[in-house]
PDB file of all heavy atoms in Angstrom:
ATOM      1  N   LYS A  25      93.148  99.493 115.404  1.00  0.00           N
ATOM      2  CA  LYS A  25      92.426  98.352 115.971  1.00  0.00           C
ATOM      3  C   LYS A  25      91.104  98.128 115.234  1.00  0.00           C
ATOM      4  O   LYS A  25      90.716  96.997 114.960  1.00  0.00           O
ATOM      5  CB  LYS A  25      92.153  98.596 117.451  1.00  0.00           C
ATOM      6  CG  LYS A  25      91.467  97.437 118.157  1.00  0.00           C
ATOM      7  CD  LYS A  25      91.138  97.778 119.599  1.00  0.00           C
ATOM      8  CE  LYS A  25      92.378  97.625 120.447  1.00  0.00           C
ATOM      9  NZ  LYS A  25      92.106  97.818 121.878  1.00  0.00           N
ATOM     10  N   VAL A  46     100.968 113.525  97.628  1.00  0.00           N
ATOM     11  CA  VAL A  46     101.770 114.750  97.504  1.00  0.00           C
ATOM     12  C   VAL A  46     102.617 114.704  96.238  1.00  0.00           C
ATOM     13  O   VAL A  46     102.674 115.677  95.479  1.00  0.00           O
ATOM     14  CB  VAL A  46     102.658 114.945  98.754  1.00  0.00           C
ATOM     15  CG1 VAL A  46     103.716 116.014  98.526  1.00  0.00           C
ATOM     16  CG2 VAL A  46     101.796 115.295  99.961  1.00  0.00           C
ATOM     17  N   ALA A  50     102.504 117.032  92.793  1.00  0.00           N
ATOM     18  CA  ALA A  50     103.682 117.808  92.404  1.00  0.00           C
ATOM     19  C   ALA A  50     104.039 117.587  90.939  1.00  0.00           C
ATOM     20  O   ALA A  50     104.706 118.412  90.327  1.00  0.00           O
ATOM     21  CB  ALA A  50     104.872 117.442  93.290  1.00  0.00           C
ATOM     22  N   VAL A  52     101.759 117.056  88.439  1.00  0.00           N
ATOM     23  CA  VAL A  52     100.634 117.364  87.560  1.00  0.00           C
ATOM     24  C   VAL A  52     100.269 118.832  87.728  1.00  0.00           C
ATOM     25  O   VAL A  52     100.186 119.332  88.845  1.00  0.00           O
ATOM     26  CB  VAL A  52      99.414 116.477  87.912  1.00  0.00           C
ATOM     27  CG1 VAL A  52      98.201 116.873  87.098  1.00  0.00           C
ATOM     28  CG2 VAL A  52      99.739 115.019  87.701  1.00  0.00           C
ATOM     29  N   ALA A  62      92.927 127.712  75.882  1.00  0.00           N
ATOM     30  CA  ALA A  62      93.551 128.964  75.449  1.00  0.00           C
ATOM     31  C   ALA A  62      95.068 128.807  75.340  1.00  0.00           C
ATOM     32  O   ALA A  62      95.689 129.288  74.385  1.00  0.00           O
ATOM     33  CB  ALA A  62      93.205 130.083  76.430  1.00  0.00           C
ATOM     34  N   ILE A  69      99.873 130.275  67.343  1.00  0.00           N
ATOM     35  CA  ILE A  69      99.950 131.685  66.943  1.00  0.00           C
ATOM     36  C   ILE A  69     101.402 132.138  67.026  1.00  0.00           C
ATOM     37  O   ILE A  69     101.980 132.197  68.104  1.00  0.00           O
ATOM     38  CB  ILE A  69      99.068 132.570  67.855  1.00  0.00           C
ATOM     39  CG1 ILE A  69      97.616 132.090  67.789  1.00  0.00           C
ATOM     40  CG2 ILE A  69      99.186 134.033  67.458  1.00  0.00           C
ATOM     41  CD1 ILE A  69      96.719 132.732  68.823  1.00  0.00           C
ATOM     42  N   LEU A  76     114.634 136.260  70.425  1.00  0.00           N
ATOM     43  CA  LEU A  76     115.131 135.107  69.679  1.00  0.00           C
ATOM     44  C   LEU A  76     115.758 135.562  68.364  1.00  0.00           C
ATOM     45  O   LEU A  76     116.833 135.082  67.980  1.00  0.00           O
ATOM     46  CB  LEU A  76     113.995 134.116  69.415  1.00  0.00           C
ATOM     47  CG  LEU A  76     114.370 132.824  68.719  1.00  0.00           C
ATOM     48  CD1 LEU A  76     115.423 132.060  69.506  1.00  0.00           C
ATOM     49  CD2 LEU A  76     113.133 131.962  68.520  1.00  0.00           C
ATOM     50  N   ALA A  81     120.683 136.547  65.162  1.00  0.00           N
ATOM     51  CA  ALA A  81     121.455 137.457  64.318  1.00  0.00           C
ATOM     52  C   ALA A  81     122.855 137.718  64.867  1.00  0.00           C
ATOM     53  O   ALA A  81     123.734 138.173  64.135  1.00  0.00           O
ATOM     54  CB  ALA A  81     120.710 138.781  64.172  1.00  0.00           C
ATOM     55  N   ALA A  82     123.091 137.424  66.126  1.00  0.00           N
ATOM     56  CA  ALA A  82     124.406 137.683  66.733  1.00  0.00           C
ATOM     57  C   ALA A  82     125.456 136.752  66.130  1.00  0.00           C
ATOM     58  O   ALA A  82     125.139 135.648  65.684  1.00  0.00           O
ATOM     59  CB  ALA A  82     124.322 137.470  68.242  1.00  0.00           C
ATOM     60  N   ARG A  84     128.255 133.979  65.816  1.00  0.00           N
ATOM     61  CA  ARG A  84     128.393 132.718  66.521  1.00  0.00           C
ATOM     62  C   ARG A  84     129.657 132.716  67.359  1.00  0.00           C
ATOM     63  O   ARG A  84     130.693 133.229  66.953  1.00  0.00           O
ATOM     64  CB  ARG A  84     128.441 131.557  65.523  1.00  0.00           C
ATOM     65  CG  ARG A  84     127.169 131.378  64.769  1.00  0.00           C
ATOM     66  CD  ARG A  84     127.295 130.230  63.803  1.00  0.00           C
ATOM     67  NE  ARG A  84     126.116 130.134  63.004  1.00  0.00           N
ATOM     68  CZ  ARG A  84     125.385 129.032  62.895  1.00  0.00           C
ATOM     69  NH1 ARG A  84     125.750 127.947  63.512  1.00  0.00           N
ATOM     70  NH2 ARG A  84     124.322 129.020  62.146  1.00  0.00           N
ATOM     71  N   ARG A  88     132.099 125.819  63.054  1.00  0.00           N
ATOM     72  CA  ARG A  88     132.483 124.464  62.639  1.00  0.00           C
ATOM     73  C   ARG A  88     133.646 124.550  61.667  1.00  0.00           C
ATOM     74  O   ARG A  88     133.678 125.384  60.796  1.00  0.00           O
ATOM     75  CB  ARG A  88     131.309 123.770  61.972  1.00  0.00           C
ATOM     76  CG  ARG A  88     130.215 123.464  62.945  1.00  0.00           C
ATOM     77  CD  ARG A  88     129.141 122.663  62.293  1.00  0.00           C
ATOM     78  NE  ARG A  88     128.064 122.407  63.249  1.00  0.00           N
ATOM     79  CZ  ARG A  88     126.964 121.790  62.954  1.00  0.00           C
ATOM     80  NH1 ARG A  88     126.746 121.355  61.733  1.00  0.00           N
ATOM     81  NH2 ARG A  88     126.046 121.586  63.872  1.00  0.00           N
TER      82      ARG A  88
END
Side-chain angles (χ1 to χ4, degrees):
K25 183 184 280 185
V46 167
V52 175
I69 302 170
L76 183 58
R84 295 180 185 235
R88 291 186 182 177

